[in-house]
């Protein structure tokens, strides 16, 4: 069991009050919850194709039904209202809105998100829309996918459609969720859709995701009112060397470049890191970066979304670690192009059901470092949470003290970062509902709300009630 004492000493012994206006929310993703994958004009995404490929997803699970949110959205919004959430971060399914990835929108798809946003607003919940949480229309993948420039151009057109349709309701927008996963797990190790294993394609995909982000920001700004906010969400790796040796320190530098600075460099500083280009020079000369791309990519943002779950520990490869110990799924192919001499190690301490170490100090270090690097850019924790082996007891209750301990520790880390000067504006718990957990299918439960998959019944877990109290009061109680 996770205990407060094992969380880096971060659990508070006194109540901690968050700043006025701090945004409390929860998050989901379209393919993980919606289902209805062939209704109202929606066509297959790369995740539909991937999940239906034998051997790709545990137990052969797919998102065909998921939690059936497409039909039960009103019930789910009512739950959010009962839990006192101030905001809900959801993603739009690109193939539900623009089935081929090009051309006019399907109004029934847009109507679903219009109704969802209206219901959220009626409950006093701020809608936060993510344009891309990994469900690329399959037709665009058939044309080359993210390794090709045209996909970035199509993404900007889709962003304009979404903003035109929803901009009167939705004022907070995120372009991409975790482009590292899209590029390096999707095209490098193959443990995510579309399941390709080409290190050069992964690097090309990373650039065109960056470009798509910049073009989408431009499209959003053109279509949205002046008070709208634009952001991107990155799954930062809090990279730590196994030892203080020069070799391990350099291993951490390599992974930091591939995991973090490949996105923050062009997006926030207008340049790719020189060490990244050098590390990957044997694979590519980066000639796919064209004149003007970096100016497009580095358009100003209103805040930076941060997803954090666990730290990453690396060393020089010496036979004691593996690229498969990075917590992202097993593959004979590495998601780390140009880093063959880096090994990954399991961090010490308690773990979640994913096998991820519980360490809130990683979130504190990440927030304070990013605040120091980008002092004028507000930060929002857009995902943080944990999977545990939850079950409903004979009385129909779901008690999850481990999740409460995990979230308590990480909220304490956020509060401490704010106390120490970091401009953190909000926190979104991952996830609102148990759901389809990508390659793990339905075997991992991240939700604050338990879902009985055969019936679709929702049962708020003890952690949901606990988090609701924190959100309502803006106060993290003492341990």
């Amino acid at each position: 069991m996770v205990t407060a004492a094992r969380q880096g000493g971060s659990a508070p012994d006194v109540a901690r009050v968050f700043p006025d206006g701090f945004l409390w929310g929860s998050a989901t993703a379209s393919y993980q919850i919606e289902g209805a994958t062939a209704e109202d004009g929606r066509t297959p995404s790369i995740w539909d194709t991937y999940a239906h490929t034998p051997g790709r997803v545990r137990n052969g699970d797919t998102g065909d039904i998921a939690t059936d949110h497409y039909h039960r959205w009103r019930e789910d919004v009512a739950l959010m209202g009962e839990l006192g959430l101030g905001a809900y971060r959801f993603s739009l399914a690109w193939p539900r809105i623009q089935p081929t990835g090009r051309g006019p929108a399907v109004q029934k798809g847009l109507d679903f998100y219009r109704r969802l946003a209206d219901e959220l607003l009626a409950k006093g919940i701020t809608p936060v829309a993510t344009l891309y949480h990994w469900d690329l229309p399959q037709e665009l993948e058939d044309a080359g996918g993210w390794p090709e420039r045209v996909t970035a151009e199509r993404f900007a057109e889709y962003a304009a459609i979404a903003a035109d349709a929803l901009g009167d309701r939705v004022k907070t927008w995120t372009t991409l969720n975790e482009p590292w996963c899209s590029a390096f797990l999707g095209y490098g190790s193959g443990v995510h859709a579309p399941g390709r294993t080409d290190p050069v394609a992964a690097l090309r995909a990373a650039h065109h995701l960056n470009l798509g982000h910049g073009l989408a920001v431009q499209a959003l700004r053109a279509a949205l009112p002046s008070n709208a906010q634009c952001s991107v969400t990155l799954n930062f790796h809090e990279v730590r060397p196994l030892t203080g040796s020069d070799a391990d320190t350099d291993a951490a530098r390599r992974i930091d470049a591939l995991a973090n600075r490949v996105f923050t460099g062009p997006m926030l500083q207008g340049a790719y890191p020189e060490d990244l280009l050098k590390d990957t020079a044997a694979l590519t000369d980066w000639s796919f970066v064209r004149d003007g791309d970096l100016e497009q990519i580095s358009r100003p943002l209103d805040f930076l979304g941060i997803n954090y779950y666990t730290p990453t520990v690396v060393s020089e490869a010496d036979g004691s670690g593996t690229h498969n110990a990075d917590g992202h799924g097993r593959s004979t192919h590495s998601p780390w192009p140009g880093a063959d001499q880096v090994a990954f190690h399991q961090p010490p301490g308690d773990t979640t059901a994913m096998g991820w170490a519980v360490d809130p100090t990683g979130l504190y270090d990440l927030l304070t470092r990013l605040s120091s690097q980008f002092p004028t850019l507000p930060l929002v924790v857009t995902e943080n949470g944990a999977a545990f082996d939850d079950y409903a007891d004979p009385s129909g209750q779901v008690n999850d003290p481990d999740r409460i301990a995990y979230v308590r520790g990480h909220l304490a880390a956020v509060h401490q970062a704010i106390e120490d000067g970091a401009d953190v504006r909000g926190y979104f718990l991952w996830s609102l509902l148990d759901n389809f957990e990508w390659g793990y299918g339905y075997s991992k439960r991240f939700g604050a709300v338990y879902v009985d998959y055969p019936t679709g019944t929702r049962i708020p877990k003890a952690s949901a009630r606990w988090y609701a109290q924190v959100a309502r009061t803006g106060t993290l109680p003492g341990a």
Side-chain angles (χ1 to χ4, degrees), residues 153-172:
E153 296 165 352
R154 297 288 84 79
F155 182 61
E157 294 168 5
Y158 155 63
I161 289 171
D164 284 339
L166 299 169
D168 59 338
R169 299 162 168 86
V170 180
K171 306 302 183 188
T172 306

Side-chain angles (χ1 to χ4, degrees), residues 156-230:
E157 294 168 5
Y158 155 63
I161 289 171
D164 284 339
L166 299 169
D168 59 338
R169 299 162 168 86
V170 180
K171 306 302 183 188
T172 306
W173 292 79
T174 296
T175 55
L176 305 172
N177 179 81
E178 299 187 352
W180 184 88
C181 294
S182 299
F184 295 102
L185 300 184
Y187 294 93
S189 66
V191 300
H192 276 196
R196 289 161 61 178
T197 54
D198 179 346
V200 176
L203 293 168
R204 291 176 59 91
H207 174 64
H208 293 129
L209 283 155
N210 281 332
L211 180 61
H213 156 77
L215 294 173
V217 170
Q218 181 181 20
L220 291 172
R221 298 283 191 207
L224 295 172
S226 59
N227 63 342
Q229 292 191 313
C230 296

Side-chain angles (χ1 to χ4, degrees), residues 191-276:
V191 300
H192 276 196
R196 289 161 61 178
T197 54
D198 179 346
V200 176
L203 293 168
R204 291 176 59 91
H207 174 64
H208 293 129
L209 283 155
N210 281 332
L211 180 61
H213 156 77
L215 294 173
V217 170
Q218 181 181 20
L220 291 172
R221 298 283 191 207
L224 295 172
S226 59
N227 63 342
Q229 292 191 313
C230 296
S231 67
V232 69
T233 282
L234 305 178
N235 58 313
F236 285 94
H237 290 62
E238 179 57 26
V239 187
R240 296 169 171 174
L242 182 66
T243 74
S245 71
D246 289 346
D248 287 0
T249 299
D250 189 64
R253 176 200 60 75
R254 284 177 176 267
I255 298 306
D256 178 55
L258 281 166
N260 303 325
R261 291 183 286 120
V262 66
F263 300 110
T264 58
M267 287 182 182
L268 303 181
Q269 298 171 310
Y272 281 101
E274 288 296 330
D275 60 329
L276 171 68

Side-chain angles (χ1 to χ4, degrees), residues 404-464:
I404 292 173
Y406 178 99
V407 176
R408 183 196 299 275
H410 285 78
L411 283 175
V414 173
H415 188 274
Q416 190 61 54
I418 294 171
E419 291 267 291
D420 292 342
D423 185 7
V424 186
R425 304 284 182 88
Y427 177 94
F428 288 76
L429 178 66
W430 184 269
S431 173
L432 176 68
L433 303 166
D434 290 337
N435 55 44
F436 177 85
E437 185 51 39
W438 310 114
Y440 295 93
Y442 297 100
S443 68
K444 305 297 181 185
R445 293 181 178 271
F446 275 89
V449 175
Y450 183 90
V451 177
D452 178 68
Y453 293 117
T455 65
T457 300
R458 277 83 161 129
I459 304 173
K461 302 175 187 178
S463 62

